[in-house]
């Protein structure tokens, strides 16, 4: 019988499908490419794959502009290819979590095309958020709200009405007060669950339900983003969104074992528990460590707070350092901290703290990146993360120690944030560059053709082919850590152990194993015990700086 709680402490590998593996040489990763690399995923030791959007899309936002929620983009394959991939993953003992994008469709979706062709006040338009404009001719947007990607959050149609889009104009927001919208997504959840999908990652789960009551408040009345966490913001984190997810939970529970879900919800920590409740999605992303500086106190406070919140909600916590939206953490930790006054926003290539946004804007020249330090710290925090109770998310390529690619030519960039915020944000393409599988070749083994984003020459030295034969490589370290984690994993209990140095964090897990991380630069005495794994070589019985060990 399958374990219904498999997700609670799973190691999940995120695949950005267009940049993982290309089976037909067209420069775009595809489903057959993923299937061909399942032996690699099995050898890595992950429990599940989270697949970023693979639906038909014009790629106005990297696939998060969905044309059809119940099909595969022809450039990535077919539904038959999807079924083959799921079967192969399951044969390898790997679950599949599919990305779902419920806040908005693409502007090419059949519903939106019908809305544009229908009159004001029609049922077709009611699936979206259409409003008349302000001013004598209605030529001013209904409000002065900004899009996350820059510019106004409203776009005018040919007949003079405006539609709302929190993100790109090619991503019109759905009206979740509309029963047809809610029912259609229930159908979509069943469609993929019936095809073997084990769970769902819910994109911007905190932005579905909206209060569009007139008069719409001004931007000034809303206040700075992130400060309003009482459930009353017009479109972020409204209490009503949990009515939607309660319906989703009923669908998930129709299956054996129940389908899982994890919310991408950039909300105040006090609000996260409702998304993660057993009556809702069951789990919510915790991005707090991702936003932290290299600082023992910050890490301790974040870990303590999130484990308490998870226990109170009945969920397990999630831990993550890299994904498709942020600068890779091997790079972030090789840069000086941006400090508490950083103004970068989640989902726009930065996350506060050591976010790398200024470095990206300089083309990767300022401040100077210490690659070796970044990789050393990346291994240390990964080993710490894998020791924590809860599920751990690994983004494709981080197991190779890949750095962010900062010097992508302007003409090759794809992310809409670059085009909408020139000189302010270069976008997220740098963490989405196709993976290097071999040391040489037109696309370092990604495919037999080129790659849809340019790969730098230094990618060859980080290739899977190079690292597999090196027991000291980043890849070998990840494989050992994930295998050992599976052997050691017990109940979701956790206890801090006090250490003399303020730079050292130590905790113990059931079974008597300890995790010790030295955030300082100087070696410290290594606690007594047998060392099981170290993120960097030990120094004569000492725990070096920027290093984690597991011991019993």
């Amino acid at each position: 019988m399958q374990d219904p709680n498999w997700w609670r402490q799973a190691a999940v590998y995120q695949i950005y499908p267009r940049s993982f593996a290309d089976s037909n040489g067209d420069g775009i990763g595809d489903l057959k490419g993923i299937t061909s690399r399942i032996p690699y995923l099995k050898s890595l030791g992950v429990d599940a794959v989270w697949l970023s959007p693979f639906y038909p899309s014009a790629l106005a936002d990297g696939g998060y502009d969905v044309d059809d929620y119940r099909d595969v983009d022809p450039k990535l394959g077919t539904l038959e290819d999807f079924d083959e991939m799921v079967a192969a993953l399951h044969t390898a003992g790997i679950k599949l979590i599919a990305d779902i994008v419920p806040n908005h469709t693409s502007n090419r979706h059949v519903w939106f095309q019908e809305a544009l062709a229908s009159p004001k006040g029609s049922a077709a338009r009611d699936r979206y958020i259409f409003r008349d404009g302000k001013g004598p001719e209605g030529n001013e947007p209904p409000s002065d709200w900004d899009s996350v990607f820059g510019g106004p959050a409203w776009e005018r149609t040919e007949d003079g009405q405006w539609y709302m889009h929190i993100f790109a104009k090619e991503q019109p927001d759905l009206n979740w007060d509309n029963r047809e919208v809610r029912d259609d997504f229930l159908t979509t959840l069943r469609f993929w669950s019936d095809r073997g999908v084990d769970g769902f990652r819910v994109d911007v789960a905190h932005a579905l339900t909206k209060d569009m009551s007139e008069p719409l408040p001004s931007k000034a009345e809303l206040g700075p983003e992130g400060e309003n966490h009482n459930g009353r913001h017009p479109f972020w984190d409204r209490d009503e969104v949990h009515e939607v997810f309660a319906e989703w939970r009923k669908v998930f529970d129709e299956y054996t074992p129940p389908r899982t879900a994890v919310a991408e919800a950039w909300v105040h920590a006090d609000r996260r528990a409702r998304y993660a409740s057993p009556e809702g999605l069951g789990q919510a992303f915790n991005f707090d460590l991702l936003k932290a500086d290299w600082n023992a106190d910050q890490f301790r406070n974040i870990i303590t707070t999130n484990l308490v919140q998870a226990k109170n909600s009945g969920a397990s916590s999630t831990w993550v350092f890299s994904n498709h939206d942020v600068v890779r953490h091997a790079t972030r930790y090789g840069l000086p901290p941006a400090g508490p006054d950083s103004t970068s926003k989640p989902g726009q290539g930065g996350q506060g703290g050591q976010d790398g946004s200024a470095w990206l804007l300089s083309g990767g020249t300022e401040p100077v990146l210490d690659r070796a330090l970044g990789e050393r710290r990346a291994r240390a925090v990964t080993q710490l993360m894998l020791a924590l109770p809860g599920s751990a998310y690994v983004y494709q390529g981080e197991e190779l120690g890949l750095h962010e690619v900062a010097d992508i030519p302007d003409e090759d960039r794809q992310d809409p944030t670059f085009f909408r915020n020139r000189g302010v944000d270069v976008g997220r393409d740098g963490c989405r560059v196709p993976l290097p599988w071999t040391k040489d070749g037109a696309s370092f083994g990604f495919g037999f053709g080129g790659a849809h984003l340019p790969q730098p020459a230094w990618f060859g030295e980080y290739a899977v082919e190079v690292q597999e034969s090196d027991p000291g490589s980043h890849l070998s370290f990840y494989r050992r850590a994930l295998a050992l984690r599976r052997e050691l994993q017990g109940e979701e209990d956790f206890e801090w152990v006090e250490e003399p140095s303020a730079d050292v964090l130590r905790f113990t897990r059931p079974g008597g194993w300890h995790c010790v991380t030295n955030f300082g630069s100087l070696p410290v005495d290594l606690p007594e015990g047998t060392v099981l794994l170290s993120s960097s070589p030990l120094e004569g019985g000492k725990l070096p700086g920027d290093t984690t060990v597991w011991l019993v």
Side-chain angles (χ1 to χ4, degrees):
M1 183 176 177
Q2 296 187 57
D3 180 9
N5 294 314
W6 65 266
W7 51 274
R8 295 189 66 91
Q9 298 194 80
V12 184
Y13 185 90
Q14 182 191 356
I15 289 179
Y16 188 74
R18 291 170 174 82
S19 296
F20 187 68
D22 172 19
S23 69
N24 60 9
D26 65 356
I28 300 172
D30 46 44
L31 299 188
K32 283 185 177 293
I34 295 170
T35 302
S36 73
R37 297 295 185 180
I38 288 176
Y40 172 79
L41 297 171
K42 184 174 178 62
S43 71
L44 187 59
V46 296
D47 302 302
V49 161
W50 155 26
L51 192 61
S52 290
F54 51 87
Y55 314 105
S57 172
L59 301 184
D61 182 22
Y64 285 87
D65 48 314
V66 178
D67 296 350
D68 184 345
Y69 289 90
R70 298 194 281 272
D71 204 354
V72 173
D73 192 314
K75 293 181 179 178
L76 274 64
T78 64
L79 284 171
E80 289 72 25
D81 294 334
F82 181 88
D83 294 340
E84 179 186 347
M85 178 190 69
V86 173
L89 284 168
H90 287 169
T91 298
I94 300 172
K95 307 286 189 183
L96 178 64
I97 298 170
D99 223 319
I100 191 166
V101 189
N103 179 68
H104 47 261
T105 71
S106 79
N107 61 347
R108 305 197 312 177
H109 191 284
V110 62
W111 274 5
F112 192 70
Q113 289 301 307
E114 183 183 353
L116 292 180
S118 299
K120 173 182 172 180
S122 62
R125 289 209 173 183
D126 189 58
R127 298 178 185 131
Y128 295 89
I129 300 173
F130 279 84
R131 288 290 184 276
D132 292 330
K134 290 183 175 181
E137 305 296 328
N139 56 5
E140 297 176 15
S143 73
D144 64 349
W145 300 343
D146 292 327
S147 157
V148 171
F149 289 161
W154 298 91
E155 183 74 10
R156 200 176 193 190
T157 62
E158 289 185 1
D159 67 0
Q161 273 208 308
W162 299 72
Y163 67 87
M164 184 176 173
H165 58 92
I166 295 178
F167 296 94
K169 66 179 182 180
E170 295 87 357
Q171 296 167 295
D173 283 25
L174 286 163
N175 173 20
W176 276 86
D177 288 337
N178 186 303
R179 187 66 245 176
E180 186 180 4
V181 170
R182 297 193 181 203
D183 288 342
D184 194 72
F185 269 87
L186 298 181
T187 299
T188 294
L189 294 173
R190 290 189 177 98
F191 178 87
W192 293 112
S193 296
D194 291 344
R195 299 191 94 95
V197 167
D198 300 286
F200 298 90
R201 179 263 188 187
V202 185
D203 187 61
V204 286
H206 59 306
L208 274 59
T209 56
K210 301 173 176 68
D211 179 7
M212 303 303 294
S213 303
E214 300 285 352
L216 299 178
S218 68
K219 183 167 54 177
E221 290 173 309
L222 295 181
E225 183 181 337
E227 289 190 4
N228 187 325
H229 50 90
N230 59 7
R232 297 293 93 195
H233 191 282
F235 52 88
W236 293 126
D237 189 28
R238 293 191 60 78
D239 291 336
E240 296 87 348
V241 76
H242 300 291
E243 298 171 7
V244 173
F245 298 139
E247 289 190 344
W248 288 24
R249 172 49 55 190
K250 291 179 181 178
V251 172
F252 298 152
D253 290 347
E254 293 172 2
Y255 295 85
T256 304
R259 296 324 190 220
T260 67
V262 56
E264 183 209 27
W266 293 90
V267 299
H268 191 275
D270 296 340
R271 306 275 300 173
R272 190 180 297 139
R274 292 190 67 184
Y275 294 88
S277 75
E279 295 76 29
L281 295 176
Q283 200 173 41
F285 271 121
N286 154 29
F287 298 111
D288 296 344
L289 284 184
L290 183 152
K291 298 183 286 184
D293 287 325
W294 185 256
N295 179 280
D297 284 341
Q298 284 189 39
F299 269 67
R300 179 168 180 145
N301 291 336
I302 288 169
I303 292 168
T304 301
T305 299
N306 280 282
L307 289 179
V308 169
Q309 289 175 346
K311 187 174 183 179
N312 290 341
S313 71
S316 65
S317 190
T318 64
W319 310 103
V320 59
F321 285 104
S322 286
N323 61 36
H324 65 291
D325 278 338
V326 301
V327 174
R328 289 186 176 276
H329 69 283
T331 294
R332 297 201 314 268
Y333 286 128
L335 295 169
D341 296 327
S342 173
T343 57
S344 57
K345 296 180 180 180
Q348 290 187 296
Q351 21 338 314
Q354 276 172 301
D355 72 351
S357 57
W359 178 81
L360 278 178
L361 283 171
S362 75
T365 59
E366 295 291 339
V368 176
L369 170 63
D370 187 334
R371 283 179 173 263
L373 176 63
E375 291 167 28
R376 182 183 182 95
R377 288 178 170 179
R379 287 161 64 125
V381 296
T382 294
Q383 188 172 335
L384 182 153
M385 171 182 76
L386 293 177
L388 291 169
S391 55
Y393 281 77
V394 174
Y395 178 54
Q396 64 176 44
E398 73 169 75
E399 77 276 15
L400 304 178
L402 282 186
H403 285 273
E404 189 84 359
V405 180
D407 55 351
I408 298 173
D410 289 357
E411 59 271 19
D412 291 322
R413 290 199 173 272
Q414 301 172 6
D415 192 344
T417 61
F418 168 75
F419 300 102
R420 290 169 171 81
N421 297 283
R422 283 182 182 267
V424 177
D425 193 340
V426 300
R428 301 158 293 181
D429 294 319
C431 63
R432 302 177 180 183
V433 176
L435 295 190
W437 294 91
T438 59
K439 183 177 181 180
D440 303 299
S443 60
F444 299 105
F446 168 67
F448 54 81
H452 68 96
L453 283 168
Q455 300 159 298
W458 52 264
F459 255 35
E461 63 190 87
Y462 288 82
V464 173
E465 177 186 62
V466 173
Q467 297 199 36
E468 283 192 314
S469 60
D470 179 4
S473 71
H474 223 87
L475 177 58
S476 295
F477 165 75
Y478 264 71
R479 285 175 171 169
R480 289 196 304 273
L482 285 163
L484 192 56
R485 178 184 191 265
R486 183 170 288 183
E487 292 176 19
L488 296 171
Q489 199 66 267
E491 296 298 315
E492 294 173 43
D493 294 325
F494 168 98
E495 184 178 349
W496 289 113
V497 179
E498 299 304 323
E499 283 289 313
S501 172
D503 288 328
V504 176
L505 289 187
R506 178 180 178 184
F507 57 85
T508 183
R509 295 291 312 280
W513 62 292
H514 293 241
C515 176
V516 189
T517 302
N518 182 4
F519 284 82
S521 57
L522 299 177
V524 297
D525 290 334
L526 189 66
E528 292 186 6
T530 301
V531 173
L532 303 174
L533 180 68
S534 178
S535 64
S536 295
L538 302 179
E539 298 177 358
K542 297 277 189 178
L543 177 62
D546 306 318
T547 301
T548 295
V549 295
W550 294 348
L551 49 82
V552 292

